Every structure is written in C-alpha cells, then in structure tokens.
Amino acid sequence: MTAALFAEQVLNGLQLGVMLFLMAAGLTLVFGIMNLINLAHGSLYMMGAYLTATFQQATGSFFLGLLLALPATAVVAMLVELVALRQLYDRDHLDQVLATFGLILFFNELTRIIWGPSAYFLDVPEVLSGTVEVLPGIPYPAFRLAILLAGLAVAAFLFFLIARTRLGMLIRAGASNREMVSALGVDIRLLYTLVFGLGAALAALAGGMAGPILAVQVGMGESILILTFVVIVIGGIGSVHGALVAALLVGLVDTFGSVLLPAAAAEMAIYLLMALILVWRPSGLFPVNA
Amino acid sequence: MFMKRALLVTAAAALFALPAQAAEKVKVGFIATMSGPARALGQDLLDGFKLGVEKSGGKLGGLETEIIEGDDQLKPDVGRQLADRMVKRDQVDIIAGVVFSNVMMAIAGPVTRAETFIVSANAGPSALAGEMCNPFFFNVAWQNDNTHEAMGQHVQDAGYKRVYLMAPNYPAGTDALAGFKRFYKGEIVGEALTQINQPDYAAELAQLRAAEPDAVYVFYPGGMAVNFVKQYAQAGLKEEIPLFGPSFLLDQSVLQAQGDAALGLYNTAFWSQALDNEANVEFVRGFEEKYGRLPSPYAAQAYDAARLIDSAIRRVDGNIEDKDAFREALEAADFQSVRGPFRFNHNHYPIQNYYLRKVVKDEQGRLVNSLEGTVFTDHADAYASECKMK
C-alpha cells in the first residue's frame, strides 16, 4: 500500500468514524443517563434520511432539507418518548429491548406506507458533488470531506454543551444521581425528553448526511445500529468522549480490515477488536462511573 | 345378484378408467420475497405475473385461476413451509415466482417430489440446471451465470485488457464473477468480495483506483446497487474507468434512486423494454398503465411465466392432471415471449438472446435502458451437459 493510498484509507476510516460517532453519541447518552436500551435508534437515522430527502425535494436545497429534518426527527422522537418510552424507564432491559424492537418494525412499516418499498432518491448537493485533491494524485469526494468536518464540528459542539452549559450540567448530574436532581427541583422527565430529542437530531444528521451516499431505503438503520452498539460498548456506556474515540477506532479498523484482510476475517475484525478491549477493560475505554 | 355386482364393478372400473377430464380450475402458488429490503423485487415479480394472468382475461388457459400468494421473507425455511402448505393443504397445480436461489434450493426438492410443477420466474441456480435438473422444474428467466457471461463477452469484444471485479460475498456473487470470467479472457487485476448488504464502498473503491484497471465489472443487486453506483460516480471514477454490470445493477427497480450517477452505464440482460416485438410493446404499455411505473426485467420474467403456463394449459385443453402431457406442453413453450425468440433447453432452462443495454433518458426525462445490440444469440447455460434429462 502506497503512502497516498494509506492516507486515503485513513480519511475513509475517519469519515466512517464520525458517522458512527453521531449515532453513538445519542445512543450512549440515552443509555447512560436514562438507562434505556433503544434499539429503535437506527429508525431515527432512517427517518432523518427520508425526511431530508422529502424536504430537499420540497425546498430544492439539500442543506435546507437537512436543517428541517433535524428538528422534525427530534419532534417525532420526543413524541415516541412521551407515548411509548416513558412507560419503560422503570422496567428491566429485556422489556425495553422487546418494546424498542417493536418500534423498529413500526417505523419500517410506516416508512413503507409513506414512501413506498423502493429505494428513495437523494443526491449530493451541487456544490459538493466534485472531488477535492487532498494530496497530489488523490481525488477525494468533496461530500465525504464535508461529512468529516461536520462530524468533528458536532463533536466540538457536544463537548461544549456538556462541559460548559447549564443543560450539560443537568445532563451530567442526571447521569450520576437522578433522585437528587429531581429533589433539587429539576423536572427530570423534561430533561429526559430533551436528551432523547437531542440524540434523535444527531441520528437524523447522520442519516441525512448518509442519504446522498447510500440507498435511502427501509431497513437502512439496522446495519449501522449494530456497529453503533459496538462503539458505545468499546467507548464505555454513557461516555461521549469514549464514543468519539471508539467510533474513530472502529471506523479505522473496519476500513483497513476490509482492504487488508480476506473477506471472512474482515467481517469479524471489529468484533475481535471489541472482545480484546473488553478483556483489557471490561467497562470499556472510558467507564463513566469508574 | 351376481349380475348386479358385476355391473357395479364394471361401472366402477369404467369410472376409474375414464380418461382424465379437463380440470375446471388451476391453482397457482406464488412465492416471492414480499418483505424486507428486497421487497421491491418480489413486488415486481407478482405485478408482472398478475398482468400476465390478466392478459388471458384472468383465466390461464381458459381455466378459472386462483393465485395463492406467499411471502418467503428471503428465508429458505419459510419458503419451504409455504411450499409444503401450498402443495399439501391448498393442493396447487403449479408453484411459480421465487426471487432468490437459496429459497428455490429449499423448496425445489419437496415440491418436485410431490410431482407438482415449479415455474421459476427468477431464481436460476446452477445445481437445478445441471445434475439436479428435474422433470417438474422449469426456469423461464435465465440461469444465474448467463447475464454475467454476456457482459464477459462484451468486455472481451470491446478490447479491455485489465479488469477489476467486485461482488458481494455470497453464492450468487461468486457465481456472477465465475460467469463473467468464463467469457472474459483478459487480465483480472483485482477481485474484491464485500460483505453482503455492505452500505459503504469507499475503502474498496480506493483500492480499485490504485490497481489502475481499464474497466470494472461488478454485481450488486437492490440497495447495494444504489449505494455502489452513486459512490462510484461520487469518487470521480465514472469518467475515469468505465463501469459495467449485469441488468440487476441498473434495472428499473433501482435506476430512479441512482439518478444521474447511472446515466450512460452499460449492462446486459435477456430483455429490454425497448425490444420491438408485439408481445413486448403490449406488455410495457399494459404494465405502465396498470401500475404507473416502467417494468423491470423481473416483471417481464413473471409476465412470461404466466404466458407460458397459459400456453401449456391451452395445449392440453385444460387437462392439467395428465402430468406427462402437461410437461410436454410446457417444454413446447408455445407462447409469444416479450423477449422475442425463446425455447427451452433439455434441462428446462431457456435458450435465448442476451442484449447490451445502456442507461439513457427517455423523452419524459426518466432513466431507462436503451437497446444497444445483441451479445449472444440462442445462448444456453454451461450446466446443461450435466443434466441427464432428455
């Protein structure tokens, strides 16, 4: 592998990594703070992609479409939280898995009824349709670079939000002791709803940005969901910076695994990585309650 | 007393000896993948079949026709249960449809052992064309390798010297590449097998560019086709290295989702909506009128499946209980196929032409496949010689 090709594959790995981070950040917050296993997180990713495509066709602009899809998906998610998930917080994880698996089926069928069974069209915005020569002789799709940059920007924003703002403080407090937070007069239920909406908006951002690259189709959330769970387990459940490190790691291992290893071994690479890391650190790289 | 009994016996014997009478009704069990990401393929198959039945006024071969639908969910075990139920409880005369070869392999055994006919409208596994060929199994689409063989021939004829191959890592994927290589004799500079349903091909595309091939052949059906074709164009490779594929990469079920990324790409198939024969013109217009979209090759295959069954029932005057006669009637393939010339080989797989097609925009600005030429005339599959059936 030449240095130039190596650099290109690193970019590919990082781009997959930030995509996974956007998914994992929401999932790990919901899991870590609300103690809820949400299998339907991939459905929010799918909703983000479909809504971006729909708004893009209505407005004629991809960016406007994406911008509208984020709050729209968040609203859908908060409704789901109010109607369905609130009943699940006090129940055990098995009930949550069953109920949110049901939500996956619900969202898949709903999507099929609204948008039809065939894949839906969403194109790369005109300004980002070309390639950029990142290194001499290596044209790289401009849109993928934009995903990489957007993902890093969102990561920075999240760290600022959690470390420096009042909402972030409440999120952290809610994670360590929710009874105490409610005793201090904070509406913990409202906080949960907001966190869930935030996670959904991040998933929608990932889905909307993936739309132009991937087939926007029913079930698109399931393949990324599995990788996302691997990421939050490696990173340490509930830890956002753990999710970032783990997402980039998984992105790189998956990318290099698929080009360096034979097909069967490549499919196992990230699971081997997870197993090795869990042997070394059973609670993940950055355990929250260490 | 004795006379009476003798009379009864004679009467009973006469009853049983009566030549099998024309059935009043034909029951078809239609199995296809109607859920999950591959649902669009099953839907096209079913819609095409129904249109084919409608063409006979809803009566295949003049018999009242009942279609019992079943969704195999792309699971061989589910397909097998469906087939068992259709054969034993519903007592269907024919099982038709079936999108995926692994599902077909699971149902072919039990159904043919029960001496029920199968008319595959899509799945064409090599085993059933070769040593496992069966008097009760017919394929009215193609053998899995054929479409890839045609493109192997075209890429060879077009003079490309260095080809890079990609396919998903499952039996149909490896078969596809084997089919291509059977007719392409140049150098294979690289071959990548990817995970099935893999969404992102960025890493493999970087490797592909570095290998500097002068042409690329890939087999990706359904959602994978959408992902791959879009990403190939986005990486700037479309202008650099010509991309070739089978019709599955670029058929009507995925073209609209691929958009302009697919424009100008070449692919091979046994059929095109642009084929200018009477049956096809009627089919394409009828399909568009009824369903509001253009037909895919899947729809064309299933339409032909219905037309074939219709012709065979007519040929035996509705007497489908006589299995040998009905088999001969199916073998005769006495119907106007939408693909033009069509006949069955001795292994019950088609001998037919394969065409080169190109993705263009029609007058309404829709993406369609135009007809660019004929690659193979009267092409048979490579496994027929292993079939002992006469």
Side-chain angles (χ1 to χ4, degrees):
Chain A
M1 191 182 284
T2 64
L5 184 56
F6 180 79
E8 187 177 357
Q9 297 296 25
V10 169
L11 279 178
N12 284 331
L14 292 178
Q15 182 250 311
L16 174 61
V18 299
M19 212 64 151
L20 288 174
F21 169 70
L22 291 179
M23 288 292 288
L27 194 62
T28 206
L29 279 177
V30 169
F31 202 169
I33 295 168
M34 298 152 72
N35 196 24
L36 172 80
I37 298 182
N38 179 22
L39 290 187
H41 202 61
S43 298
L44 301 171
Y45 169 87
M46 177 177 74
M47 289 307 280
Y50 271 99
L51 288 172
T52 302
T54 304
F55 288 130
Q56 190 252 353
Q57 281 172 11
T59 61
S61 155
F62 171 79
F63 299 104
L64 211 53
L66 188 59
L67 213 60
L68 288 170
L70 299 190
T73 311
V75 168
V76 171
M78 289 193 282
L79 281 176
V80 170
E81 199 269 345
L82 283 174
V83 175
L85 300 182
R86 278 209 172 173
Q87 331 300 326
L88 298 170
Y89 293 144
D90 299 328
R91 309 182 71 153
D92 65 24
H93 283 162
L94 186 61
D95 289 355
Q96 296 174 354
V97 165
L98 277 175
T100 53
F101 182 72
L103 282 175
I104 294 182
L105 302 180
F106 170 79
F107 273 108
N108 280 351
E109 203 51 44
L110 182 73
T111 310
R112 192 172 290 136
I113 292 168
I114 299 177
W115 285 283
S118 298
Y120 211 65
F121 180 66
L122 180 56
D123 204 5
V124 172
E126 197 63 39
V127 279
L128 296 173
S129 63
T131 53
V132 180
E133 202 143 326
V134 280
L135 284 169
I138 304 193
Y140 197 74
F143 189 71
R144 285 182 188 265
L145 268 189
I147 291 179
L148 184 51
L149 296 177
L152 294 177
V154 169
F157 162 76
L158 267 186
F159 289 122
F160 174 77
L161 181 80
I162 289 172
R164 296 266 183 273
T165 65
R166 184 174 165 75
L167 178 64
M169 193 178 70
L170 290 175
I171 290 176
R172 281 179 288 140
S176 30
N177 194 331
R178 72 178 96 166
E179 282 79 18
M180 190 53 85
V181 175
S182 23
L184 290 171
V186 176
D187 184 347
I188 195 88
R189 299 221 142 188
L190 178 68
L191 182 67
Y192 281 4
T193 309
L194 286 177
V195 168
F196 197 74
L198 173 68
L202 293 174
L205 179 64
M209 291 199 304
I213 300 181
L214 307 183
V216 178
Q217 63 179 355
V218 173
M220 67 184 287
E222 275 114 78
S223 53
I224 195 165
L225 182 74
I226 297 169
L227 280 181
T228 307
F229 269 105
V230 171
V231 166
I232 69 168
V233 169
I234 289 180
I237 289 164
S239 161
V240 174
H241 63 277
L244 180 62
V245 173
L248 296 179
L249 195 61
V250 167
L252 287 169
V253 168
D254 191 56
T255 301
F256 280 95
S258 70
V259 297
L260 294 178
L261 300 174
E267 292 182 30
M268 290 188 289
I270 56 159
Y271 303 104
L272 286 176
L273 172 78
M274 178 170 76
L276 287 176
I277 286 178
L278 290 185
V279 167
W280 172 46
R281 306 189 73 149
S283 309
L285 292 175
F286 299 91
V288 170
N289 300 318
Chain B
M1 190 65 198
F2 175 73
M3 276 300 286
K4 235 180 189 173
R5 188 178 292 165
L7 251 172
L8 264 174
V9 171
T10 329
L15 255 179
F16 286 112
L18 220 65
Q21 261 181 345
E24 287 173 349
K25 189 173 178 184
V26 58
K27 276 190 179 180
V28 181
F30 198 90
I31 298 178
T33 306
M34 302 300 290
S35 53
R39 176 186 160 125
L41 310 187
Q43 190 67 49
D44 265 16
L45 223 53
L46 182 63
D47 287 351
F49 192 79
K50 283 187 169 163
L51 189 69
V53 175
E54 221 166 79
K55 155 98 169 137
S56 319
K59 290 185 164 189
L60 286 174
L63 298 185
E64 195 188 317
T65 303
E66 185 186 349
I67 302 175
I68 299 163
E69 294 169 25
D71 172 16
D72 62 43
Q73 303 166 26
L74 219 176
K75 292 177 184 145
D77 52 325
V78 175
R80 165 135 192 195
Q81 285 164 14
L82 277 172
D84 274 345
R85 204 181 64 209
M86 287 175 175
V87 168
K88 290 187 184 134
R89 196 190 69 190
D90 303 324
Q91 304 207 316
V92 297
D93 303 292
I94 299 161
I95 298 254
V98 188
V99 182
F100 289 90
S101 293
N102 52 348
V103 177
M104 181 57 88
M105 289 308 288
I107 71 175
V111 174
T112 54
R113 271 196 297 280
E115 306 208 328
T116 302
F117 286 97
I118 299 179
V119 176
S120 171
N122 193 68
S126 53
L128 287 166
E131 50 193 25
M132 282 172 68
C133 66
N134 193 292
F136 287 92
F137 178 86
F138 287 80
N139 176 302
V140 71
W142 23 257
Q143 196 279 315
N144 285 351
D145 301 11
N146 290 154
T147 309
H148 311 287
E149 291 170 350
M151 194 43 105
Q153 184 68 48
H154 171 69
V155 171
Q156 171 76 16
D157 292 346
Y160 293 103
K161 300 277 181 270
R162 297 161 49 80
V163 173
Y164 197 96
L165 303 176
M166 284 180 69
N169 188 21
Y170 77 126
T174 44
D175 284 357
L177 300 188
F180 181 87
K181 286 188 271 192
R182 193 171 291 138
F183 284 81
Y184 176 73
K185 301 298 172 205
E187 188 190 352
I188 308 287
V189 293
E191 197 173 314
L193 291 174
T194 53
Q195 290 179 38
I196 189 160
N197 283 332
Q198 178 172 324
D200 200 339
Y201 299 93
E204 288 84 0
L205 287 176
Q207 299 297 116
L208 182 156
R209 190 199 301 273
E212 298 180 341
D214 59 12
V216 174
Y217 182 75
V218 302
F219 165 56
Y220 287 109
M224 289 184 276
V226 179
N227 294 338
F228 186 88
V229 169
K230 278 165 95 173
Q231 291 166 25
Y232 195 81
Q234 285 163 16
L237 282 163
K238 193 181 152 197
E239 286 73 29
E240 229 172 273
I241 311 167
L243 173 66
F244 297 95
S247 53
F248 321 105
L249 186 73
L250 299 156
D251 68 39
Q252 218 56 51
S253 66
V254 291
L255 268 183
Q256 308 314 317
Q258 289 165 335
D260 287 352
L263 198 62
L265 296 184
Y266 286 92
N267 60 97
T268 42
F270 73 101
W271 171 84
S272 157
Q273 85 286 338
L275 277 174
D276 193 18
N277 65 61
E278 206 181 311
N280 194 41
V281 171
E282 187 189 346
F283 161 66
V284 174
R285 196 181 47 225
F287 192 93
E288 215 185 329
E289 264 169 25
K290 181 157 189 211
Y291 302 109
R293 64 181 198 274
L294 286 169
S296 66
Y298 302 103
Q301 292 153 203
Y303 181 82
D304 268 1
R307 302 314 305 143
L308 167 72
I309 295 170
D310 175 76
S311 75
I313 297 176
R314 265 176 223 290
R315 212 176 156 91
V316 295
D317 293 322
N319 189 0
I320 50 178
E321 307 297 329
D322 184 346
K323 310 255 176 176
D324 290 329
F326 190 54
R327 176 179 314 111
E328 275 171 32
L330 284 168
E331 282 168 350
D334 184 16
F335 71 105
Q336 293 298 313
S337 167
V338 295
R339 69 198 91 180
F342 174 93
R343 67 177 199 271
F344 278 120
N345 204 345
H346 70 100
N347 63 349
H348 293 173
Y349 271 67
I351 296 180
Q352 59 191 349
N353 297 348
Y354 289 85
Y355 303 100
L356 184 67
R357 320 190 306 169
K358 182 184 177 184
V359 178
V360 295
K361 281 196 169 151
D362 70 0
E363 316 84 59
Q364 299 174 44
R366 294 176 304 187
L367 292 166
V368 296
N369 278 291
S370 72
L371 198 59
E372 299 289 312
T374 309
V375 184
F376 285 140
T377 309
D378 290 343
H379 185 65
D381 63 83
Y383 303 95
S385 59
E386 296 164 24
C387 171
K388 299 285 185 289
M389 206 157 58
K390 288 281 175 264

